[in-house]
Amino acid sequence: MYLNDVKLIGKVHDDAPVKTLASGDVILTFTLVTTENFKNRGGEPVIRKEMHRVTAFNKAAKDAATEGTLFAGTEVLVEGFLRSRESGVTEVIARRISPGRRED
């Protein structure tokens, strides 16, 4: 059995406008920042931030950016799967993006 399923909650790093390709397909690409808080062995608080490249197509892209742009600081839940590109970059292909509150 195989499973390639990702769920991430984080904040949009920069404003991400929806783009329409020559084919008519719609694409939304943005960087999602996730944060992990924990204490190290010495008891010191540590904040670890990870950046994830996220791409959504067509309906998922339109639904996420209802105003035509997914704005920086917006908290989102991304559900999708991982895809590795030939360049060595691993990205999340979003099946669904659920925007939450926006923090400026």
Side-chain angles (χ1 to χ4, degrees):
M1 176 193 285
Y2 301 98
L3 177 65
N4 184 355
D5 192 37
V6 175
K7 288 185 183 182
L8 296 170
I9 296 174
K11 291 185 182 176
V12 177
H13 187 262
D14 293 314
D15 289 351
V18 172
K19 297 177 185 170
T20 302
L21 305 176
S23 63
D25 288 334
V26 175
I27 187 170
L28 173 66
T29 303
F30 64 96
T31 300
L32 181 71
V33 180
T34 57
T35 306
E36 178 185 9
N37 299 305
F38 61 95
K39 291 185 180 180
N40 64 17
R41 290 182 182 184
E44 304 283 326
V46 177
I47 299 172
R48 180 179 294 151
K49 292 187 177 190
E50 298 286 339
M51 300 180 94
H52 312 273
R53 179 185 167 118
V54 179
T55 303
F57 297 96
N58 300 313
K59 183 174 180 349
K62 292 177 196 173
D63 290 349
T66 55
E67 298 175 39
T69 300
L70 189 56
F71 294 102
T74 303
E75 188 175 82
V76 295
L77 164 65
V78 175
E79 298 176 85
F81 59 94
L82 296 176
R83 177 180 291 161
S84 298
R85 299 221 172 252
E86 289 180 17
S87 62
V89 174
T90 300
E91 65 183 327
V92 178
I93 304 299
R95 291 186 184 106
R96 186 171 73 128
I97 300 171
S98 304
R101 65 183 189 278
R102 180 176 168 197
E103 295 179 13
D104 293 316

